[in-house]
Amino acid sequence: RVHSDGKPEKFQPPPKPVIIDKQRQREERRFLSPEFIPPRGRTDPLKFYIERRDMIQRRKVFNIPEFYVGHVLAVTTAEPYASEKASRFVGICIQRGGKGLGATFVLRNVIENQGVEIRYELYNPRIQVIEVLKLEKRLDDNLMYLRDALPEYSTFDTSMKPVSRLDNEEIPVNKLQVQMKPKPWSKRWERPKYNIKGIKFELPEKKMKEAQKWSQPWLEFDMLREYDTSKIEEKIWKEVSEELKK
Amino acid sequence: FALAPQGLSRRSVSHSFLSFASITGACRAIQKLTRVRVVDNSALGNTPYHRPPKCIHVYNKTGVGKVGDKILLAIKGEKKKALIVGHKMPGPTMTPRFDSNNVVLIEDNGNPIGTRIKTPIPYILRQKEGEFSKVLAIARNFV
């Protein structure tokens, strides 16, 4: 390049490249699936170790993506009696339960005005593909109240396109407040034991106050119920990530 | 089976005046006197009546009907056989659980009365293809 004067331009060193260490980003973004954490009890840790080995083996063969309650998933299972030997079900994950190899998750969808829920086992060999179609966490850990909510909150299109996700840090939290069908509900969701934040309660003040009668404010201070999983999680995370890298 | 229906005992009835506990049995899928929802497009199932269709007998050794069991229904003052295609009670894992107790009206020989079933039907019914082939033929969606 030459200036209008005819003199050559002063040498500008190239800008320093910004190195995004993807591995470090992934390490900072740790996600340990909740079924790896052993429940509190007096069982021999050897049992959990053997189970974890089997879980890791299955994960090496089949990719179980990271998902939380509130994500919309599409699961393809092998069905012996289906026409193409495989069946696909799309639904919102309303609950993740179980520990170890028996870990399950429940997907809910409304098909032809009929609500359907299927409980899938994460480590069942019949599952062929799990795709995450929509990534969003909700305000609660348990969306069982969707059964008593208006059906529009549980309907998801079967032909939704999967959302591409970059390896960035956050999963968006959807602060949706769901409208419910008129009472009676399957459970009294307004009671503090369920601690639900994702419902738009349109009940009169008197009913909400009456529900607070069942609150147990001493529970959060109960020391015998404490279960600190941070150290256990660290150990298991190291073990699992090392095994999966091999 | 996840449940042993004979093993489940009824909730105890307390005889004190203060507690008015219900004496109904534990939640058990479809049994006598359950209100069901007819999902095919038959005239008998879809015309409104002041009483909902109720189960009056389950053709089973235990009185509890699960998916694939035949029951006797009382609809519009008539008795009709029906096939259970889905219930509210959770069954084995990897099988669907519906939000209503669904039923398809059937003749004595197994022929369905309606001509179309829009609601999803579980794949497990295909196992007994011989008995329910005609019902499966009119079903549209499978889950």
Side-chain angles (χ1 to χ4, degrees):
Chain A
R1 287 233 231 120
V2 181
H3 270 293
S4 47
D5 303 348
K7 292 182 200 162
E9 207 181 72
K10 191 176 169 195
F11 169 70
Q12 297 277 346
K16 259 194 169 169
V18 180
I19 306 167
I20 311 169
D21 193 359
K22 279 209 168 156
Q23 219 177 13
R24 206 194 260 175
Q25 257 199 343
R26 232 177 285 145
E27 265 172 52
E28 284 160 8
R29 169 111 195 71
R30 289 165 169 212
F31 169 70
L32 185 64
S33 215
E35 70 266 6
F36 279 105
I37 304 165
R40 193 167 78 143
R42 286 173 57 186
T43 2
D44 203 309
L46 179 69
K47 178 216 174 195
F48 300 120
Y49 174 69
I50 299 174
E51 245 188 339
R52 252 177 280 142
R53 268 217 321 224
D54 286 336
M55 283 149 78
I56 292 166
Q57 253 207 342
R58 172 70 181 158
R59 276 182 185 243
K60 283 188 187 166
V61 177
F62 167 69
N63 170 41
I64 298 176
E66 169 191 343
F67 68 96
Y68 298 85
V69 166
H71 282 220
V72 180
L73 305 177
V75 177
T76 327
T77 26
E79 289 278 349
Y81 305 107
S83 46
E84 298 101 30
K85 304 295 174 196
S87 73
R88 186 167 188 257
F89 185 74
V90 173
I92 181 171
C93 175
I94 54 177
Q95 190 190 54
R96 277 189 84 161
K99 298 280 177 204
L101 285 168
T104 56
F105 62 99
V106 184
L107 291 186
R108 178 182 167 83
N109 199 350
V110 174
I111 310 175
E112 299 275 352
N113 303 328
Q114 169 72 66
V116 185
E117 290 176 11
I118 308 190
R119 181 173 284 263
Y120 286 106
E121 287 163 347
L122 275 176
Y123 296 97
N124 195 322
R126 270 168 64 188
I127 298 187
Q128 288 161 349
V129 191
I130 303 183
E131 300 160 348
V132 178
L133 296 180
K134 200 171 178 201
L135 280 156
E136 61 173 23
K137 272 193 189 183
R138 294 281 195 110
L139 290 169
D140 307 301
D141 255 343
N142 209 315
L143 298 177
M144 284 292 179
Y145 56 80
L146 286 180
R147 291 178 189 169
D148 298 314
L150 299 173
E152 60 201 31
Y153 294 101
S154 315
T155 24
F156 294 94
D157 189 18
T158 343
S159 50
M160 260 170 91
K161 298 286 162 156
V163 154
S164 63
R165 191 203 157 185
L166 318 158
D167 261 332
N168 44 9
E169 303 259 344
E170 299 145 29
I171 298 187
V173 179
N174 188 358
K175 305 210 172 160
L176 175 67
Q177 299 255 299
V178 147
Q179 268 196 319
M180 304 289 274
K181 289 194 234 174
K183 270 200 152 194
W185 298 329
S186 59
K187 299 255 183 245
R188 293 173 215 241
W189 303 112
E190 73 274 10
R191 293 217 175 157
K193 95 169 195 202
Y194 298 109
N195 193 20
I196 291 182
K197 298 173 188 129
I199 298 184
K200 192 173 178 183
F201 290 110
E202 273 152 14
L203 300 170
E205 272 295 314
K206 200 173 145 188
K207 296 270 175 185
M208 297 300 291
K209 266 196 164 177
E210 205 190 313
Q212 292 301 318
K213 271 205 288 195
W214 279 269
S215 71
Q216 295 171 310
W218 56 85
L219 269 187
E220 59 170 315
F221 302 109
D222 195 342
M223 290 175 76
L224 287 182
R225 278 176 212 256
E226 280 173 6
Y227 183 35
D228 188 21
T229 51
S230 43
K231 292 187 188 149
I232 307 173
E233 268 191 54
E234 289 277 331
K235 267 199 261 176
I236 297 178
W237 164 258
K238 270 192 218 158
E239 196 188 311
V240 167
S241 49
E242 271 170 30
E243 287 287 324
L244 281 174
K245 274 178 208 164
K246 284 184 194 164
Chain B
F1 275 97
L3 271 188
Q6 258 92 43
L8 270 181
S9 53
R10 282 165 149 216
R11 273 189 269 155
S12 58
V13 183
S14 66
H15 296 282
S16 70
F17 293 118
L18 295 171
S19 62
F20 300 97
S22 149
I23 328 175
T24 46
C27 155
R28 282 169 168 204
I30 300 186
Q31 54 183 9
K32 289 197 187 185
L33 295 189
T34 35
R35 291 162 290 188
V36 290
R37 177 188 164 210
V38 176
V39 293
D40 56 10
N41 65 346
S42 56
L44 195 57
N46 291 50
T47 38
Y49 192 61
H50 57 243
R51 303 187 71 179
K54 274 193 185 164
C55 167
I56 47 183
H57 189 261
V58 181
Y59 293 102
N60 210 337
K61 286 285 168 72
T62 69
V64 180
K66 307 272 167 147
V67 175
D69 287 334
K70 293 210 186 124
I71 60 172
L72 228 206
L73 225 51
I75 314 181
K76 295 189 76 177
E78 313 169 5
K79 291 184 279 194
K80 212 72 189 187
K81 277 204 184 172
L83 175 73
I84 303 177
V85 290
H87 49 72
K88 258 181 137 177
M89 180 168 141
T93 50
M94 315 286 274
T95 52
R97 184 204 86 106
F98 296 87
D99 272 1
S100 59
N101 298 318
N102 298 340
V103 120
V104 170
L105 293 178
I106 232 176
E107 295 281 357
D108 281 335
N109 48 14
N111 295 351
I113 299 179
T115 51
R116 250 194 318 203
I117 304 177
K118 266 192 179 174
T119 39
I121 306 274
Y123 277 111
I124 301 184
L125 273 183
R126 278 225 156 117
Q127 207 169 11
K128 298 169 206 161
E129 189 94 40
E131 294 171 58
F132 308 135
S133 52
K134 295 187 192 161
V135 177
L136 294 164
I138 61 174
R140 287 299 165 86
N141 306 336
F142 281 92
V143 159

XYZ file of all heavy atoms in Angstrom, chain A residues 153-221:
596
model
N -50.026 -25.012 26.945
C -48.677 -24.953 27.505
C -47.936 -26.266 27.363
O -46.746 -26.332 27.637
C -48.732 -24.559 28.989
C -49.241 -23.162 29.209
C -50.548 -22.939 29.602
C -48.419 -22.067 29.003
C -51.035 -21.662 29.780
C -48.885 -20.786 29.189
C -50.203 -20.586 29.566
O -50.678 -19.317 29.745
N -48.645 -27.334 26.978
C -47.952 -28.622 26.838
C -47.914 -29.097 25.405
O -47.427 -30.184 25.130
C -48.653 -29.701 27.670
O -48.967 -29.226 28.931
N -48.453 -28.293 24.464
C -48.456 -28.752 23.065
C -47.162 -28.323 22.406
O -46.764 -27.170 22.502
C -49.591 -28.105 22.265
O -49.949 -26.888 22.898
C -50.786 -28.994 22.178
N -46.522 -29.280 21.746
C -45.308 -28.985 21.003
C -45.389 -29.674 19.666
O -45.787 -30.824 19.578
C -44.073 -29.436 21.787
C -43.893 -28.652 23.054
C -44.401 -29.114 24.249
C -43.262 -27.419 23.033
C -44.276 -28.374 25.404
C -43.133 -26.674 24.194
C -43.651 -27.153 25.373
N -44.977 -28.952 18.632
C -45.064 -29.465 17.279
C -44.097 -30.630 17.087
O -42.926 -30.546 17.466
C -44.702 -28.321 16.324
C -44.984 -28.692 14.890
O -45.752 -29.652 14.686
O -44.436 -28.034 14.003
N -44.587 -31.734 16.490
C -43.728 -32.903 16.310
C -42.623 -32.636 15.306
O -41.575 -33.269 15.346
C -44.550 -34.096 15.787
O -45.919 -33.816 16.005
C -44.188 -35.355 16.515
N -42.863 -31.680 14.396
C -41.839 -31.435 13.386
C -41.051 -30.174 13.712
O -40.706 -29.408 12.827
C -42.485 -31.320 12.011
O -43.564 -30.402 12.093
N -40.747 -29.978 14.981
C -39.916 -28.822 15.370
C -38.494 -29.058 14.921
O -38.004 -30.190 14.972
C -39.910 -28.694 16.892
C -40.839 -27.665 17.435
S -40.956 -27.797 19.214
C -39.685 -26.719 19.729
N -37.804 -27.977 14.550
C -36.400 -28.147 14.132
C -35.510 -28.043 15.359
O -35.749 -27.196 16.218
C -36.009 -27.044 13.141
C -36.800 -27.062 11.872
C -36.379 -28.183 10.987
C -37.439 -28.429 9.966
N -37.064 -29.029 8.778
N -34.478 -28.875 15.442
C -33.587 -28.756 16.599
C -32.837 -27.439 16.583
O -32.434 -26.959 15.542
C -32.626 -29.940 16.442
C -32.761 -30.382 15.049
C -34.109 -29.994 14.559
N -32.697 -26.858 17.790
C -31.998 -25.585 17.919
C -30.515 -25.865 18.007
O -30.082 -26.705 18.789
C -32.508 -24.857 19.181
C -31.478 -23.932 19.726
C -33.780 -24.137 18.866
N -29.728 -25.169 17.207
C -28.281 -25.385 17.260
C -27.744 -24.647 18.469
O -28.140 -23.526 18.748
C -27.622 -24.850 16.005
O -27.826 -23.461 15.948
N -26.865 -25.288 19.197
C -26.396 -24.652 20.416
C -24.891 -24.530 20.397
O -24.175 -25.480 20.170
C -26.831 -25.497 21.604
C -26.617 -24.771 22.881
C -26.502 -25.747 23.984
N -25.773 -25.151 25.076
C -25.434 -25.792 26.146
N -25.742 -27.059 26.238
N -24.783 -25.196 27.097
N -24.403 -23.340 20.629
C -22.960 -23.147 20.723
C -22.538 -23.546 22.117
O -23.339 -23.585 23.026
C -22.615 -21.664 20.501
C -23.378 -20.980 19.379
C -23.379 -19.481 19.598
C -22.735 -21.331 18.056
N -21.237 -23.801 22.260
C -20.756 -24.234 23.566
C -20.606 -23.066 24.513
O -19.567 -22.877 25.117
C -19.385 -24.907 23.393
C -19.530 -26.412 23.380
O -20.479 -26.912 23.998
O -18.698 -27.076 22.758
N -21.663 -22.245 24.600
C -21.516 -21.114 25.523
C -22.084 -21.482 26.891
O -22.613 -22.549 27.096
C -22.182 -19.869 24.951
C -23.540 -20.220 24.358
O -24.026 -21.332 24.539
N -24.121 -19.306 23.632
N -21.930 -20.513 27.798
C -22.111 -20.851 29.200
C -23.567 -21.045 29.607
O -23.886 -21.966 30.325
C -21.506 -19.735 30.062
C -20.042 -19.478 29.775
C -19.168 -20.123 30.827
O -19.696 -20.473 31.878
O -17.970 -20.273 30.580
N -24.449 -20.109 29.178
C -25.751 -20.118 29.840
C -26.838 -20.826 29.070
O -26.860 -20.838 27.861
C -26.243 -18.683 30.044
C -25.350 -17.860 30.904
C -25.351 -16.426 30.410
O -26.379 -16.036 29.840
O -24.325 -15.746 30.576
N -27.753 -21.388 29.832
C -28.983 -21.923 29.252
C -30.079 -20.971 29.685
O -30.254 -20.717 30.872
C -29.257 -23.332 29.787
C -28.106 -24.225 29.370
C -30.546 -23.871 29.239
C -28.316 -25.661 29.688
N -30.844 -20.409 28.735
C -31.827 -19.380 29.125
C -32.914 -19.937 30.037
O -33.338 -21.079 29.895
C -32.430 -18.944 27.780
C -32.149 -20.051 26.852
C -30.863 -20.678 27.297
N -33.337 -19.118 31.002
C -34.407 -19.512 31.912
C -35.680 -18.830 31.454
O -35.719 -17.618 31.328
C -34.080 -19.085 33.361
C -35.218 -19.471 34.278
C -32.806 -19.741 33.815
N -36.703 -19.624 31.182
C -37.964 -19.062 30.727
C -38.822 -18.757 31.946
O -39.229 -19.664 32.671
C -38.669 -20.097 29.827
C -39.895 -19.524 29.165
O -40.245 -18.375 29.391
N -40.536 -20.329 28.355
N -39.104 -17.472 32.176
C -39.833 -17.125 33.399
C -41.339 -17.107 33.133
O -42.038 -16.219 33.578
C -39.374 -15.752 33.896
C -37.888 -15.719 34.068
C -37.416 -14.799 35.130
C -35.922 -15.055 35.302
N -35.217 -13.990 35.935
N -41.777 -18.118 32.394
C -43.184 -18.146 32.022
C -44.047 -18.502 33.220
O -43.744 -19.424 33.972
C -43.350 -19.206 30.918
C -44.752 -19.507 30.439
C -45.301 -18.311 29.735
C -44.732 -20.693 29.516
N -45.154 -17.775 33.383
C -46.108 -18.106 34.443
C -47.313 -18.736 33.752
O -47.949 -18.112 32.922
C -46.545 -16.815 35.169
C -45.386 -16.104 35.824
C -45.416 -16.304 37.323
O -46.375 -15.911 37.961
N -44.404 -16.917 37.870
N -47.591 -19.961 34.138
C -48.561 -20.752 33.398
C -49.967 -20.528 33.946
O -50.150 -20.431 35.161
C -48.122 -22.225 33.507
C -49.260 -23.143 33.536
C -47.168 -22.573 32.409
N -50.956 -20.480 33.059
C -52.340 -20.332 33.518
C -52.949 -21.702 33.708
O -52.758 -22.598 32.876
C -53.138 -19.572 32.461
C -53.152 -18.102 32.707
C -54.227 -17.427 31.900
O -54.422 -17.776 30.730
N -54.912 -16.495 32.488
N -53.703 -21.847 34.779
C -54.198 -23.176 35.118
C -55.674 -23.332 34.744
O -56.400 -22.355 34.620
C -54.085 -23.419 36.626
C -52.701 -23.240 37.150
S -51.628 -24.551 36.612
C -51.929 -25.753 37.857
N -56.072 -24.580 34.658
C -57.499 -24.876 34.477
C -58.170 -24.617 35.823
O -57.500 -24.526 36.847
C -57.665 -26.370 34.138
C -57.178 -26.730 32.759
C -57.692 -28.107 32.404
C -56.517 -28.964 31.995
N -56.847 -30.332 31.761
N -59.517 -24.492 35.832
C -60.148 -24.246 37.141
C -59.924 -25.415 38.081
O -59.765 -26.556 37.665
C -61.640 -24.098 36.783
C -61.782 -24.654 35.432
C -60.478 -24.471 34.734
N -59.899 -25.110 39.375
C -59.720 -26.162 40.385
C -60.891 -27.136 40.304
O -61.959 -26.744 39.888
C -59.684 -25.505 41.760
C -58.313 -25.116 42.203
C -58.291 -24.934 43.703
C -56.905 -25.222 44.218
N -56.887 -25.394 45.664
N -60.854 -28.401 40.684
C -59.793 -29.087 41.420
C -58.630 -29.535 40.546
O -58.805 -29.920 39.404
C -60.518 -30.318 41.977
C -61.613 -30.568 41.042
C -62.021 -29.266 40.485
N -57.424 -29.463 41.095
C -56.213 -29.906 40.445
C -55.822 -31.269 41.005
O -56.309 -31.681 42.042
C -55.084 -28.904 40.704
C -55.370 -27.546 40.164
C -56.116 -27.228 39.066
C -54.894 -26.316 40.706
N -56.138 -25.869 38.897
C -55.384 -25.286 39.884
C -54.100 -25.962 41.787
C -55.110 -23.941 40.095
C -53.823 -24.624 42.007
C -54.331 -23.629 41.166
N -54.873 -31.941 40.344
C -54.460 -33.253 40.835
C -53.710 -33.123 42.155
O -53.762 -33.996 43.007
C -53.583 -33.953 39.802
O -52.460 -33.166 39.529
N -52.985 -32.024 42.333
C -52.324 -31.774 43.619
C -52.597 -30.310 43.951
O -52.805 -29.512 43.065
C -50.809 -31.953 43.502
C -50.400 -33.319 43.105
C -49.839 -34.053 44.278
C -49.375 -35.405 43.842
N -49.910 -36.531 44.249
N -52.523 -29.973 45.226
C -52.793 -28.572 45.600
C -51.521 -27.765 45.399
O -50.728 -27.581 46.318
C -53.252 -28.516 47.045
C -54.613 -29.178 47.216
C -54.985 -29.266 48.664
N -55.730 -30.480 48.902
C -56.981 -30.491 49.365
N -57.590 -29.374 49.659
N -57.589 -31.634 49.546
N -51.308 -27.306 44.171
C -50.036 -26.692 43.828
C -49.772 -25.386 44.555
O -48.648 -24.891 44.561
C -49.961 -26.453 42.315
C -50.150 -27.690 41.510
C -51.209 -27.971 40.704
C -49.284 -28.833 41.441
N -51.043 -29.201 40.128
C -49.874 -29.745 40.562
C -48.069 -29.161 42.032
C -49.305 -30.969 40.246
C -47.501 -30.377 41.715
C -48.116 -31.257 40.838
N -50.834 -24.787 45.157
C -50.576 -23.508 45.812
C -49.878 -23.696 47.160
O -49.403 -22.739 47.744
C -51.897 -22.734 46.001
C -52.813 -23.274 47.064
C -53.719 -24.380 46.556
O -53.503 -24.856 45.426
O -54.632 -24.790 47.295
N -49.786 -24.943 47.625
C -49.205 -25.179 48.952
C -47.704 -25.020 48.916
O -47.062 -25.363 47.927
C -49.578 -26.570 49.452
C -51.052 -26.659 49.703
C -51.399 -27.484 50.878
N -52.836 -27.416 51.109
C -53.532 -28.331 51.754
N -52.920 -29.392 52.235
N -54.823 -28.182 51.918
N -47.095 -24.523 49.989
C -45.657 -24.223 49.969
C -44.766 -25.442 49.846
O -43.594 -25.308 49.512
C -45.424 -23.513 51.309
C -46.584 -23.862 52.153
C -47.727 -24.107 51.251
N -45.277 -26.661 50.088
C -44.373 -27.818 49.999
C -43.921 -28.072 48.571
O -42.879 -28.633 48.332
C -45.038 -29.054 50.616
C -45.763 -29.987 49.683
C -46.089 -31.260 50.443
C -46.480 -32.358 49.486
N -47.264 -33.391 50.130
N -44.730 -27.653 47.594
C -44.320 -27.834 46.212
C -43.438 -26.702 45.744
O -42.708 -26.854 44.773
C -45.552 -27.947 45.303
C -46.403 -29.133 45.632
C -47.653 -28.981 46.239
C -45.962 -30.424 45.375
C -48.419 -30.073 46.560
C -46.723 -31.514 45.695
C -47.957 -31.339 46.283
O -48.730 -32.417 46.597
N -43.547 -25.555 46.399
C -42.680 -24.416 46.118
C -42.624 -24.105 44.619
O -41.568 -24.128 43.991
C -41.260 -24.707 46.629
C -40.417 -23.462 46.641
O -40.934 -22.342 46.628
N -39.120 -23.638 46.636
N -43.811 -23.851 44.054
C -43.867 -23.638 42.610
C -43.869 -22.156 42.323
O -44.644 -21.405 42.908
C -45.132 -24.291 42.047
C -44.960 -25.794 42.168
C -45.344 -23.932 40.605
C -46.084 -26.544 41.611
N -42.978 -21.750 41.385
C -42.940 -20.335 41.041
C -43.494 -20.085 39.647
O -43.652 -18.958 39.242
C -41.496 -19.854 41.112
C -40.980 -19.995 42.508
C -39.519 -19.702 42.621
C -39.077 -20.067 44.007
N -37.907 -20.937 44.024
N -43.764 -21.159 38.908
C -44.119 -20.958 37.509
C -45.608 -20.952 37.223
O -46.026 -21.161 36.105
N -46.450 -20.752 38.238
C -47.897 -20.722 38.001
C -48.409 -19.325 38.314
O -48.007 -18.708 39.299
C -48.645 -21.707 38.922
C -48.209 -23.138 38.664
C -50.132 -21.636 38.655
C -48.999 -24.122 39.481
N -49.334 -18.875 37.480
C -49.981 -17.598 37.755
C -51.226 -17.909 38.559
O -52.291 -18.226 38.018
C -50.369 -16.972 36.403
C -50.780 -15.554 36.488
C -50.974 -15.023 35.086
C -51.436 -13.608 35.116
N -51.698 -13.098 33.779
N -51.090 -17.852 39.883
C -52.226 -18.196 40.727
C -53.272 -17.103 40.647
O -53.011 -15.968 40.994
C -51.779 -18.349 42.185
C -50.944 -19.560 42.420
C -49.603 -19.441 42.710
C -51.499 -20.832 42.355
C -48.825 -20.558 42.936
C -50.725 -21.952 42.578
C -49.385 -21.815 42.868
N -54.492 -17.485 40.223
C -55.553 -16.475 40.202
C -56.541 -16.766 41.309
O -57.727 -16.499 41.189
C -56.246 -16.465 38.835
C -55.514 -15.554 37.874
C -55.702 -15.994 36.444
O -56.598 -16.834 36.208
O -54.962 -15.512 35.573
N -56.034 -17.356 42.396
C -56.898 -17.677 43.523
C -57.062 -16.446 44.394
O -56.183 -15.586 44.439
C -56.257 -18.787 44.359
C -56.001 -20.092 43.632
C -55.141 -20.981 44.518
C -57.295 -20.797 43.321
N -58.178 -16.361 45.123
C -58.347 -15.213 46.028
C -57.290 -15.237 47.124
O -56.771 -16.289 47.501
C -59.751 -15.411 46.601
C -60.111 -16.810 46.302
C -59.355 -17.226 45.091
N -57.007 -14.039 47.665
C -55.967 -13.878 48.698
C -56.192 -14.814 49.873
O -55.260 -15.346 50.476
C -55.975 -12.432 49.205
C -55.101 -11.495 48.394
C -53.640 -11.856 48.497
O -53.153 -12.117 49.617
O -52.979 -11.932 47.450
N -57.492 -14.992 50.191
C -57.836 -15.815 51.360
C -57.326 -17.242 51.171
O -56.777 -17.859 52.089
C -59.362 -15.821 51.491
C -59.874 -16.207 52.852
C -61.392 -16.019 52.913
C -61.994 -17.106 53.786
N -63.462 -17.110 53.735
N -57.468 -17.772 49.935
C -57.031 -19.144 49.682
C -55.522 -19.243 49.744
O -54.959 -20.221 50.241
C -57.489 -19.602 48.290
C -58.970 -19.682 48.129
C -59.493 -21.055 48.512
C -61.006 -21.072 48.460
N -61.603 -22.290 48.912
N -54.829 -18.211 49.240
C -53.365 -18.262 49.250
C -52.867 -18.217 50.682
O -51.931 -18.909 51.053
C -52.792 -17.070 48.472
C -53.158 -17.043 46.994
S -52.600 -18.491 46.097
C -50.851 -18.276 46.086
N -53.550 -17.405 51.519
C -53.131 -17.323 52.927
C -53.388 -18.644 53.620
O -52.609 -19.104 54.445
C -53.930 -16.226 53.630
C -53.251 -14.891 53.654
C -53.908 -13.980 54.674
C -52.991 -12.816 54.954
N -53.628 -11.869 55.875
N -54.512 -19.270 53.284
C -54.850 -20.547 53.918
C -53.836 -21.606 53.522
O -53.496 -22.478 54.309
C -56.247 -20.960 53.465
C -56.937 -21.877 54.433
C -58.212 -22.453 53.835
O -58.994 -21.669 53.270
O -58.380 -23.668 53.931
N -53.350 -21.531 52.298
C -52.362 -22.520 51.855
C -51.083 -22.375 52.656
O -50.398 -23.370 52.920
C -52.073 -22.327 50.375
N -50.756 -21.150 53.085
C -49.523 -20.942 53.846
C -49.571 -21.594 55.211
O -48.545 -21.731 55.876
C -49.244 -19.441 54.011
C -48.880 -18.744 52.712
C -47.655 -19.354 52.075
O -46.670 -19.683 52.754
N -47.695 -19.542 50.772
N -50.767 -22.046 55.633
C -50.868 -22.740 56.932
C -50.027 -24.005 56.925
O -49.601 -24.473 57.955
C -52.329 -23.146 57.185
C -53.150 -22.096 57.887
C -54.314 -22.724 58.631
C -55.367 -23.209 57.665
N -56.653 -23.499 58.335
N -49.832 -24.610 55.722
C -49.107 -25.862 55.626
C -47.607 -25.640 55.406
O -46.888 -26.580 55.108
C -49.689 -26.709 54.485
C -50.911 -27.429 54.886
C -51.006 -28.673 55.418
C -52.239 -26.929 54.807
N -52.305 -28.977 55.667
C -53.094 -27.934 55.301
C -52.809 -25.731 54.365
C -54.469 -27.781 55.375
C -54.187 -25.578 54.426
C -54.989 -26.601 54.927
N -47.167 -24.410 55.540
C -45.738 -24.177 55.338
C -44.958 -24.736 56.509
O -45.446 -24.736 57.641
C -45.468 -22.687 55.193
O -45.633 -22.058 56.431
N -43.758 -25.214 56.234
C -42.901 -25.761 57.286
C -41.604 -24.975 57.260
O -40.610 -25.413 56.686
C -42.637 -27.248 57.044
C -43.904 -28.053 57.143
C -43.701 -29.482 56.704
O -43.157 -29.736 55.635
N -44.141 -30.397 57.520
N -41.571 -23.789 57.867
C -40.384 -22.930 57.741
C -39.154 -23.490 58.434
O -38.046 -23.074 58.150
C -40.831 -21.615 58.382
C -41.983 -21.966 59.242
C -42.633 -23.155 58.639
N -39.341 -24.506 59.312
C -38.176 -25.058 60.000
C -37.384 -26.031 59.146
O -36.268 -26.384 59.474
C -38.637 -25.778 61.277
C -39.644 -26.842 60.994
C -39.413 -28.125 60.632
C -41.065 -26.695 61.019
N -40.579 -28.793 60.430
C -41.623 -27.935 60.662
C -41.928 -25.635 61.305
C -42.993 -28.152 60.578
C -43.294 -25.854 61.225
C -43.805 -27.104 60.863
N -37.974 -26.451 58.005
C -37.325 -27.492 57.198
C -35.979 -27.033 56.642
O -35.041 -27.808 56.574
C -38.221 -27.887 56.025
C -39.179 -29.039 56.256
C -39.846 -29.394 54.956
C -38.475 -30.247 56.806
N -35.892 -25.762 56.230
C -34.638 -25.336 55.609
C -33.519 -25.225 56.642
O -32.352 -25.180 56.278
C -34.819 -24.009 54.888
C -35.279 -22.889 55.780
C -35.224 -21.537 55.086
O -34.221 -21.257 54.426
O -36.189 -20.777 55.234
N -33.851 -25.178 57.921
C -32.816 -25.081 58.940
C -32.504 -26.425 59.568
O -31.636 -26.515 60.420
C -33.258 -24.121 60.059
C -33.576 -22.755 59.540
C -34.882 -22.296 59.490
C -32.567 -21.928 59.078
C -35.175 -21.047 59.008
C -32.846 -20.683 58.590
C -34.159 -20.226 58.553
